[in-house]
Structure formats: C-alpha cells, structure tokens
Amino acid sequence: MNILAHRGYFDGPDPSSENRTESMARCLKRGWGLETDIRQAPDGRFYISHDPVPITEENEAEAYCKLWRHYPYATIALNVKELGCETPLLTFLERAGVLNQLFLFDMELLETSAGSTARRLRQINPSVRLAARVSDRNESIDQALTIEEAEVIWIDEFDDLWIEETELQVLKAAGRQLYAISPEIHGFSHEQMRRRWHDFTTWGIDGICTDHPVALEAYLRELDTMESSLS
C-alpha cells in the first residue's frame, strides 16, 4: 500500500503546514508519497498551491522538485490545476529531474473532452505517467478506460462511498494502478474512513491519499500484525 500525504499533511489537516516543503520533507522521511497541486504564474514559472496565489520563493516549484529528487522512490501525485501550459510543464518537470517519480491527474475537471489533455501530454512526452479519474460525478469507469494513455486510475468518492470490489477488479484487469481518495477528505466520518481503509486494503488497491497518513500507517501495521499472528 502506497500512502500519499494529501497536501503534505502529517496527522490531519493543518493550514499552517499545507503544501509547505518542510511538511513534505517530514512525510517523505517517513516513507510516504505526496499529493499536491501545481500552477503556472503569469511570468511562466510554476508554483505549488491548491488555490491561485502570487508566486514567492516559498511556493516556487523548483524548491519542491529539489526536495522530491532526494526521495526518488516516493510517488508524487501532481494535480494539474490549469490547462494550456502542457509543453512548458513537462519541460520543467523533466529538467527538474522528477518526471519519472510522479503522475499527473485531474485534467478531466478542466477539459471539455475527457482524455484530450492526457493525449496531448503523452504526445509531448511519451514517458509521462498519467491518471484518469473515476467518481460519482459523471466520471465513469468506462470513460476512464477509454483514456488509454492513463496507467493510473484516480478514484474519488465525493457524495457516496460508491465503488465496489467488482468494479475495482475491472480496473485492475485492465492493467491500471489504482489510487483512491480517503473519505475524510470529502467530509465523511473517521469511522467511515477506517471502514473504507479496510475495504481498499482487502481489495488490493495500490495507494490511498489521506489527510491522516500517521493513522493509516498505524492501521496498516495493525493489519500486518494480525495477519502474522494468523499465519
């Protein structure tokens, strides 16, 4: 199971630590991956932020890439927040030496034709890894599987914990890696969060993006202990 720390959170949402290099370094040292957001400033430089803000020395993407390079086996899920900058974005990520450890996702939230950005990105750079979305907001499994450029499926449950094991097996049979958003990110309770963690681990999902990576790590350790005692 690959744990992705949502916006670099360590033990729950914390606005003071959101998307900061120090917070991400703490998570990476723990052995986790990261989920974060990338944007382009008016001057062409890229920066890390969920919302549009002025670019500064603290949020400029170059500093983040320098950190990520020190953890080459960590997975970085990079949420693309703007379209129209595909060529400079891929050029930047390749020059920064991080393209091989990340995947780009959430382009469908911005585009008018699902998969068009993924196809454009793959044409620009055949080595970039991409994810297609499935969710309970008109982003179906069938649609995701038509995006052949996407090696990863990003599973989002906004309003209902809707996905079932049989649907995950369809995605796995198609050769896709599966990453899921943990329920608490969309306002579900911690009890629902833990139940979903159980489902996802039992069903063989590849990674979970969570606000509570410390708790998820402890939960996975509990499962390992239980399985060892039964073997």
Side-chain angles (χ1 to χ4, degrees), residues 8 19 51 62 66 136 140 145 155 175 194 201 206-208 217 224:
N19 282 329
D51 301 308
E62 180 61 47
K66 182 179 179 181
D136 49 345
S140 69
L145 290 177
I155 301 164
R194 286 183 65 88
T201 53
D206 297 288
I208 297 175
E217 183 183 69
D224 286 341

XYZ file of all heavy atoms in Angstrom, residues 8 19 51 62 66 136 140 145 155 175 194 201 206-208 217 224:
127
model
N 0.692 17.258 1.810
C 1.787 17.208 2.769
C 1.355 17.170 4.220
O 2.190 17.333 5.122
N 0.999 22.153 1.958
C 1.839 22.322 0.765
C 3.142 23.069 1.043
O 3.671 23.768 0.173
C 1.059 23.047 -0.348
C 0.092 22.130 -1.059
O 0.327 20.926 -1.177
N -1.010 22.678 -1.534
N -4.819 26.773 -4.460
C -5.556 27.917 -4.989
C -4.599 28.895 -5.670
O -3.400 28.927 -5.357
C -6.302 28.632 -3.860
C -7.286 27.713 -3.157
O -8.105 27.089 -3.858
O -7.226 27.612 -1.914
N 10.425 24.851 -8.113
C 11.800 24.360 -8.188
C 12.285 23.833 -6.842
O 12.954 22.799 -6.766
C 12.727 25.480 -8.679
C 14.188 25.067 -8.801
C 14.404 23.939 -9.786
O 13.863 23.999 -10.892
O 15.128 22.975 -9.432
N 13.482 19.938 -5.987
C 14.785 19.643 -5.372
C 14.611 18.692 -4.200
O 15.388 17.744 -4.021
C 15.445 20.940 -4.917
C 16.825 20.747 -4.302
C 17.435 22.087 -3.906
C 18.808 21.891 -3.272
N 19.413 23.197 -2.867
N -18.229 9.644 -8.568
C -19.684 9.639 -8.581
C -20.233 10.953 -9.122
O -21.394 11.303 -8.870
C -20.226 9.365 -7.174
C -19.580 10.230 -6.109
O -18.531 10.840 -6.381
O -20.106 10.288 -4.980
N -17.207 8.043 -15.302
C -17.458 6.613 -15.198
C -16.194 5.785 -15.420
O -15.199 6.256 -15.970
C -18.507 6.194 -16.238
O -17.969 6.304 -17.549
N -11.488 4.103 -18.830
C -10.781 3.064 -19.577
C -10.591 3.425 -21.047
O -9.758 2.822 -21.719
C -11.526 1.738 -19.445
C -11.466 1.092 -18.058
C -12.283 -0.179 -18.021
C -10.026 0.814 -17.642
N -9.458 7.334 -7.993
C -10.818 7.036 -7.571
C -11.275 8.057 -6.539
O -10.664 8.198 -5.481
C -10.901 5.615 -6.983
C -10.458 4.577 -8.033
C -12.295 5.311 -6.473
C -10.135 3.230 -7.453
N -5.145 -3.572 -16.285
C -3.726 -3.277 -16.109
C -3.428 -1.923 -15.502
O -2.301 -1.435 -15.611
N -12.106 4.622 8.297
C -11.448 3.362 8.660
C -12.106 2.172 7.972
O -11.420 1.230 7.569
C -11.441 3.178 10.182
C -10.436 4.069 10.889
C -10.414 3.791 12.383
N -9.948 2.448 12.673
C -8.673 2.108 12.850
N -7.713 3.023 12.720
N -8.336 0.872 13.143
N -7.760 -1.965 1.371
C -6.645 -2.889 1.577
C -7.057 -4.317 1.245
O -6.281 -5.064 0.640
C -6.137 -2.810 3.026
O -7.226 -2.987 3.939
C -5.477 -1.471 3.304
N -3.746 0.054 -4.783
C -2.302 0.332 -4.759
C -1.920 1.476 -3.832
O -0.801 1.505 -3.310
C -1.810 0.641 -6.178
C -1.980 -0.544 -7.104
O -1.214 -1.513 -6.947
O -2.883 -0.520 -7.959
N -2.816 2.451 -3.655
C -2.459 3.581 -2.816
C -3.676 4.344 -2.349
O -4.730 4.331 -2.992
N -3.533 5.012 -1.191
C -4.591 5.845 -0.624
C -4.022 7.226 -0.342
O -2.961 7.355 0.275
C -5.159 5.241 0.674
C -5.813 3.884 0.399
C -6.146 6.191 1.334
C -6.291 3.167 1.653
N -0.887 4.614 8.393
C 0.303 3.787 8.606
C 0.101 2.855 9.799
O 0.434 1.665 9.732
C 1.514 4.684 8.835
C 2.822 3.928 9.006
C 3.974 4.871 9.294
O 3.993 5.456 10.400
O 4.849 5.041 8.419
N -0.945 -5.953 9.389
C 0.205 -6.845 9.225
C 0.396 -7.709 10.465
O 0.696 -8.911 10.360
C 1.475 -6.022 8.968
C 1.515 -5.437 7.584
O 0.778 -5.936 6.716
O 2.282 -4.482 7.360
